[in-house]
Structures are given as C-alpha cells and as structure tokens.
Amino acid sequence: MIALVNSVTGSIKLPQLGPACTVRADGEVTLDAVQMANAATITAVGVRRKMPERAVVIALATALQESKLENLEDGDRDSLGLFQQRPSQGWGTPEQIQDPRYSAGRFYSALKKVKGWKEMKVTDAAQKVQRSAYPRAYEKWADESAVLAKALTGRATRAVECTVSGDPVLRGAAAATALAKGMRLDWGKGMGATVAQGAAVTVAVADQKAGWRYAHWLVSHSRDTGLERVRFADLEWHAPSGKWQQVTGDRAAGSGQVVAEVFN
C-alpha cells in the first residue's frame, strides 16, 4: 500500500479518493469518505459482537494493509473485499465476502479462535488469521488503527470530522429511513431505540461513550446518506463545514440521544 508521510507531523495520510475525513484521538489519521465508512462499519461489527477495542485495532490494521479500507472486487488469485478473503479457502461466496458486515464478522470470528491473540502484537494476531506472504506488514498500521478505534468505539469526543459537498444522494423521509436502516444493519439489536421521523433520526443512548460511538458512525457514513447535521449533547456537526461546533438552547440534543438530520 502506498501512503504519504507528513514530514512535519510524521502522520500517515492515505491516498485520497474523495472528500476527506480527519480523525483525531491521541493522533491524527486522514481517510477519504469510502475508507471512513468502511472503518466505521468494521468497528460497529466488532462492538456488536462484544469484541474488545484491541480486536477492532487488529481488524482495522488488517483491512488497511489488505485493501486500503476499500471493498475491492479483485486481488491476488480469488481474494476479494476489505480483508482480501478467498472463496476457495472457505471464507464465503464472492457476494458474501463483498458485504463489509459479513467479511468483518468472519474476520472477528477467526480472530476469536486464535489462542492468546489479546497478548499478541497486532501483526502477529492479524497474520494468524490472514496467513499472508508478508506477515510483518500489518504492524505499520497499528498506530493509525488505534486512533481510528479509539474514536469509532466512542472513547473520544468530536473526533471524526468529514466534509461533504455537492448534492445529497437522498433527501427527506427517504434519506432518514435509509439512514436508520443502515445503522440497524451495522449495530444490530444492541443499538438504542431508533426513531426515524420526517427528516431526522433519533437514537437513544445510555452514556457518553455510546453517544459518540453512534455520532462518529453517522459522520463516517455521511457521504452516502444525505446527512446534513448530527447533534449530541451540546455539540453539532454540519456537513458543509465538516466541523463540530458548540450549540446551546433548543439546538442542543442532550446527553440521552443522538439526533441526525438529513437534507430536506
């Protein structure tokens, strides 16, 4: 994988395919919108399966190395998808492997079977699953994956910022319904109560970590959902600026819910 290194900060910037997303959580990572959405889905599947954050770090590092966090239609021999899993080796059908939720789930299932994986270096745990010809390659993504995992599991505040420009892909009730459906597919039954009403989706949350988990997922998937604003507690993300800003009064969502508004 080719990566650009900022000579001043030392941070790694992946090749950009579209509007940029920046993740800041004890470090900084820049992804394009496609990569960001896939990272958020990989994380959501891990959390849904009650895998610890360490597993998410390993999964993200693996996908960064194998596919640049892109859902590839081809690869070495019959390898496919985010993790370059092979139908001929029993990972699933080509259609299944190219479903990010399925492929992430298969990766976590395989990782869970690796004895002692929690104590292994990222590259060793990933290699036990992937059996790559380049077994040391995963480690170079460990730091970036830790930044992404901290943000996407909800342990960091206002950590994911994506800028979205141009006409939204969906609007109004259709966008809100599709957004709520996507959240349920990624997060499963463990997600708080979700209500899609008009041009908004509201998700009930039990605590701040859950709130930021969903808020960051929403921003990560903003390009393809028609999302205009996300509010949690006294902060609001707005698509054109891509930034989180303080809000007060009626604009504040409170700490018990995340509010997502789509373009009307």
Side-chain angles (χ1 to χ4, degrees):
M1 181 190 303
I2 297 173
L4 305 179
V5 180
N6 184 310
S7 60
V8 177
T9 64
S11 62
I12 290 181
K13 183 176 182 180
L14 294 170
Q16 295 299 294
L17 303 179
C21 297
T22 301
V23 183
R24 298 181 180 91
D26 293 334
E28 182 174 313
V29 177
T30 301
L31 303 176
D32 68 37
V34 172
Q35 293 166 320
M36 193 71 241
N38 286 328
T41 290
I42 289 169
T43 302
V45 172
V47 173
R48 186 181 76 202
R49 287 171 164 254
K50 303 188 185 307
M51 298 293 284
E53 188 174 322
R54 180 68 173 172
V56 175
V57 172
I58 295 167
L60 290 170
T62 302
L64 279 163
Q65 173 60 27
E66 295 289 355
S67 70
K68 305 190 193 78
L69 280 171
E70 297 168 29
N71 195 17
L72 300 179
E73 296 180 359
D74 54 26
D76 180 45
R77 287 170 283 188
D78 60 338
S79 299
L80 295 166
L82 291 169
F83 296 91
Q84 289 291 277
Q85 294 159 335
R86 297 179 61 189
S88 64
Q89 293 185 345
W91 286 97
T93 67
E95 293 75 18
Q96 287 174 323
I97 291 171
Q98 289 212 269
D99 177 346
R101 300 176 187 99
Y102 173 90
S103 62
R106 286 300 307 270
F107 180 86
Y108 287 120
S109 293
L111 179 64
K112 198 171 182 179
K113 294 176 183 177
V114 175
K115 186 176 180 179
W117 69 267
K118 294 179 183 178
E119 288 74 43
M120 291 179 181
K121 291 177 64 176
V122 166
T123 200
D124 294 335
Q127 174 63 5
K128 287 287 187 180
V129 176
Q130 298 295 106
R131 302 188 183 281
S132 168
Y134 304 96
R136 315 315 305 170
Y138 304 105
E139 193 66 27
K140 68 174 176 277
W141 301 110
D143 291 344
E144 287 70 28
S145 297
V147 171
L148 293 171
K150 182 174 182 179
L152 293 170
T153 58
R155 288 203 306 115
T157 299
R158 60 195 294 178
V160 178
E161 295 187 325
C162 299
T163 302
V164 183
S165 58
D167 292 332
V169 294
L170 291 171
R171 290 180 179 270
T177 299
L179 183 60
K181 180 181 179 180
M183 289 195 78
R184 286 192 293 269
L185 286 171
D186 269 18
W187 291 101
K189 296 179 180 178
M191 187 173 69
T194 307
V195 177
Q197 186 172 14
V201 176
T202 302
V203 184
V205 297
D207 52 39
Q208 178 168 299
K209 185 176 181 180
W212 284 112
R213 187 184 296 158
Y214 299 136
H216 289 154
W217 184 96
L218 286 160
V219 175
S220 298
H221 284 271
S222 55
R223 190 193 72 163
D224 295 324
T225 57
L227 190 64
E228 182 179 15
R229 300 176 189 273
V230 177
R231 294 197 303 278
F232 177 56
D234 58 352
L235 292 165
E236 178 182 81
W237 169 87
H238 189 213
S241 72
K243 303 295 184 182
W244 287 95
Q245 303 288 345
Q246 201 96 19
V247 291
T248 57
D250 293 342
R251 296 295 299 169
S255 59
Q257 62 182 8
V258 177
V259 179
E261 294 180 355
V262 298
F263 285 95
N264 243 324

